[in-house]
Amino acid sequence: MKVRNVAMGLVLFMGASCITTIAVAQEKISIDAKASTTPFPHFWEQTFGSGRAILALRDDYRKDLRTVKEATNFQSVRFHGIFNDDVGLYDPDRQTKNPGLAAEAANDASVYNFSYVDEIYDGLLDNGVQPFVELSFMPKKMASDPAALHAFWYHPNVSPPKDYKLWDDMIRAFAQHLVDRYGIEEVSKWKFEVWNEPNLDFWMGDPKQDSYFKLYDHTARDIKSVSPRLQIGGPSTAQAAWVAPFLAHVKAENVPVDFVSTHVYANDNAMDVFKTHEDIPRETMVYRSVKKVHDEIAASAFPHLPLIFSEYNASYANEPNVTDTPYIGPWLANNIRLCDGLTESMSYWSFSDVFEEQGVVRSPFYGGFGLIAADDIPKASLNVFRALHKLGERRIASSSKSALVTEDAAGKLVVALWDYAPPTGTGATYTMPKGPAAAPKSFDLSFEHVAANAAVEVLRIDDDHSNVLKAFNAMGRPTGSLTRDQIKQLRAAGQMSPAEHLHLDHGKLQLTVPAHGLAVLTLGR
């Protein structure tokens, strides 16, 4: 595929009191439908993150799960807290207390109770989604420090176990129960990941790295003692950290490892990730981090270990101009373009705003991480994933920084085009747009080995298409609980806009994409 930038055009934007002339970026792209292809697995939509384990019992969680499954056919979901006390797994010396009576030993005083674990995992599997099992956090009765509570609204305990024998026994019992209930053929397909972001305040072991390695060693050996077919990995760090020392450690100590997992967010800073003073922009931070870890694995004693970024997003904070808006479209498409071939999968955090890390959700549009806002309202990001799901599983090489060209199983060309611009605002307070974020981009496309007048279907996500925020802004961004009528209106406004139906003109097509816009084209043959 050939790409050429040509002279800038001009367009007039009419504001409230003035007319602004803005240059229009123009790019010519030539696409040969018979060009050689390379495999293009959909690594960006295999796994999603979600709120903590117990939320998986909620009806709205499962409804959102089904919606995202239908849109992306994703395979697994990762969440924190399967060992949290609200799941009730670990409860030795259990007592019951009725009103007015003294506490007494329970009739069933067994150490482990798998009732909620089973309901959580059954609910996923019944909807065609496997667990990506993050082994966290510490049960209160097992914690070395019962006061080591994380600042999240639900306050998980983040201390090491007071006795590693208790931890070992629980991990083995947990894994054995899963194998007994679901069968080794099923559970051997799952990923088991040790803890979450131990280099941050999610782990209070001291020293952090050495104490985490001890936790990993015990856990990995416990899992493998149940079956060598179970897959275990780590270090599940934030900021793409600790991978090289982790792999050196497991090699030196002969500890099992089946995959490497780590995290990064696009607004992480270079000092935390690379120990440099660079100003790495939001559109390339994830790629730079993925490439860094990919190269660290290649240089290790385990050069062929799969790499899984088990958390990533455009922001680690609640930034409504980032995660609530169509900005996600160009940002995500560009990350896919850059990260292809470097990682087995990347888990977008998260699929739903059924989520309580900062407390109970008060507004559907507060910069939540999910693709679906509270009250089952689709965000632009859901439509972004829905459109990009149409990309084929074979890629045609392109030098364009604003295009992905693929071939699907039916032999049709599927092309993604976008116009990246920085977000209109950053931080927790929403900035109302006062006009286009930047100039639109005009693509002059020419196709070879495609019917000269082939039909073209175009899906758009931008400020004016497939974007519920336009309707929410028009409502005056109401605070607090919405009325049922407002929810109904927003659900309708959040749907994918109807596809445009065009035709090539002698093998050519001109398409303009606005800033923060994504267009996905499917060509008939």
Side-chain angles (χ1 to χ4, degrees):
M1 186 173 99
K2 298 179 181 178
V3 179
R4 183 165 64 90
N5 290 316
V6 297
M8 306 289 281
L10 296 175
V11 67
L12 298 180
F13 287 108
M14 300 186 66
S17 60
C18 64
I19 298 176
T20 303
T21 302
I22 298 179
V24 179
Q26 293 180 302
E27 186 174 353
K28 286 191 174 182
I29 303 177
S30 298
I31 300 170
D32 183 353
K34 290 189 176 180
S36 60
T37 64
T38 54
F40 188 55
H42 286 203
F43 60 92
W44 68 91
E45 59 177 1
Q46 297 306 304
T47 303
F48 283 88
S50 84
R52 73 188 191 278
I54 199 68
L55 296 178
L57 299 182
R58 284 174 44 169
D59 180 63
D60 51 356
Y61 179 105
R62 293 183 177 182
K63 183 182 296 183
D64 289 354
L65 185 85
R66 288 189 289 272
T67 298
V68 178
K69 175 69 176 180
E70 183 273 330
T72 66
N73 195 32
F74 79 108
Q75 302 303 304
S76 60
V77 65
R78 173 184 178 269
F79 42 66
H80 308 317
I82 197 65
F83 300 151
N84 283 3
D85 289 324
D86 55 10
V87 178
L89 170 63
Y90 182 75
D91 192 10
D93 306 316
R94 187 170 71 91
Q95 292 185 324
T96 60
K97 188 179 188 309
N98 290 304
L101 300 177
E104 59 183 3
N107 291 333
D108 175 9
S110 57
V111 173
Y112 310 113
N113 179 2
F114 292 102
S115 297
Y116 278 0
V117 172
D118 294 343
E119 288 190 40
I120 289 167
Y121 288 163
D122 285 357
L124 299 182
L125 294 167
D126 288 347
N127 285 288
V129 177
Q130 295 173 332
F132 186 112
V133 185
E134 177 197 304
L135 299 164
S136 70
F137 287 105
M138 196 59 60
K140 178 175 61 177
K141 292 183 177 180
M142 194 183 293
S144 57
D145 181 1
L149 303 180
H150 190 270
F152 277 170
W153 181 75
Y154 57 92
H155 298 309
N157 189 284
V158 292
S159 70
K162 61 186 177 184
D163 182 345
Y164 265 98
K165 183 181 184 306
L166 299 176
W167 175 265
D168 293 336
D169 289 345
M170 181 181 71
I171 296 297
R172 286 192 292 265
F174 176 73
Q176 187 63 59
H177 174 81
L178 298 180
V179 170
D180 292 343
R181 183 173 180 84
Y182 302 110
I184 189 59
E185 293 302 322
E186 170 64 34
V187 182
S188 65
K189 299 173 186 175
W190 303 1
K191 301 289 193 299
F192 290 82
E193 181 185 43
V194 181
W195 214 252
N196 174 71
E197 298 186 349
N199 57 321
L200 300 186
D201 57 356
F202 293 97
W203 177 246
M204 298 305 291
D206 186 26
K208 271 187 180 290
Q209 189 177 95
D210 287 348
S211 61
Y212 171 75
F213 288 172
K214 181 178 181 180
L215 178 79
Y216 180 86
D217 295 354
H218 276 265
T219 309
R221 287 168 174 150
D222 296 336
I223 290 288
K224 291 293 188 178
S225 73
V226 173
S227 173
R229 296 177 62 187
L230 299 182
Q231 300 178 62
I232 189 73
S236 191
T237 39
Q239 301 160 351
W242 291 7
V243 169
F246 170 74
L247 292 177
H249 167 80
V250 295
K251 174 63 175 177
E253 300 299 325
N254 194 29
V255 183
V257 61
D258 297 301
F259 61 90
V260 169
S261 67
T262 189
H263 307 161
V264 76
Y265 285 81
N267 59 333
D268 279 330
N269 67 65
M271 179 56 66
D272 287 333
V273 181
F274 297 99
K275 310 305 178 190
T276 68
H277 293 284
E278 300 171 79
D279 183 14
I280 301 175
R282 200 182 291 251
E283 68 265 31
T284 56
M285 173 57 84
V286 170
Y287 159 70
R288 287 277 306 272
S289 303
V290 170
K291 181 68 163 58
K292 165 185 175 282
V293 179
H294 175 272
D295 292 348
E296 289 173 340
I297 294 172
S300 76
F302 307 95
H304 303 298
L305 276 182
L307 169 58
I308 297 172
F309 266 73
S310 54
E311 276 190 37
Y312 83 109
N313 198 315
S315 177
Y316 58 74
N318 296 137
E319 296 188 275
N321 286 96
V322 177
T323 47
D324 286 345
T325 71
Y327 167 83
I328 287 293
W331 176 84
L332 179 63
N334 190 54
N335 273 285
I336 293 169
R337 177 183 72 87
L338 292 170
C339 295
D340 178 31
L342 298 177
T343 177
E344 179 177 284
S345 70
M346 299 180 70
S347 175
Y348 187 89
W349 189 262
S350 58
F351 81 80
S352 169
D353 280 346
V354 177
F355 199 87
E356 296 173 346
E357 288 181 356
Q358 307 303 324
V360 177
V361 173
R362 293 171 178 262
S363 166
F365 301 108
Y366 64 98
F369 301 112
L371 306 184
I372 305 175
D375 296 315
D376 191 32
I377 300 170
K379 295 187 189 180
S381 53
L382 175 65
N383 292 320
V384 166
F385 271 90
R386 190 184 296 278
L388 292 174
H389 180 67
K390 290 184 172 291
L391 290 171
E393 294 191 346
R394 304 289 301 180
R395 182 177 177 184
I396 296 174
S398 167
S399 60
S400 174
K401 295 181 179 179
S402 300
L404 277 167
V405 182
T406 67
E407 182 181 61
D408 69 11
K412 293 182 179 181
L413 286 178
V414 185
V415 181
L417 303 171
W418 60 89
D419 185 6
Y420 181 86
T424 302
T426 58
T429 301
Y430 181 69
T431 301
M432 188 74 77
K434 297 181 179 179
K441 189 163 192 174
S442 178
F443 293 91
D444 291 319
L445 307 171
S446 60
F447 296 88
E448 298 179 40
H449 300 109
V450 175
N453 64 341
V456 183
E457 179 186 87
V458 183
L459 294 176
R460 291 184 180 270
I461 303 93
D462 54 46
D463 287 346
D464 293 319
H465 298 87
S466 313
N467 174 29
V468 67
L469 216 58
K470 183 177 181 180
F472 187 65
N473 289 347
M475 286 181 179
R477 299 186 66 84
T479 58
S481 297
L482 301 175
T483 67
R484 291 175 68 86
D485 185 60
Q486 287 173 324
I487 292 169
K488 183 179 180 180
Q489 292 178 48
L490 292 173
R491 286 175 179 169
Q495 300 303 310
M496 181 77 79
S497 295
E500 297 176 26
H501 294 282
L502 310 173
H503 284 84
L504 299 185
D505 183 1
H506 297 89
K508 298 182 183 298
L509 181 71
Q510 185 174 72
L511 200 75
T512 298
V513 179
H516 293 172
L518 170 71
V520 175
L521 291 63
T522 303
L523 276 72
R525 298 302 296 270

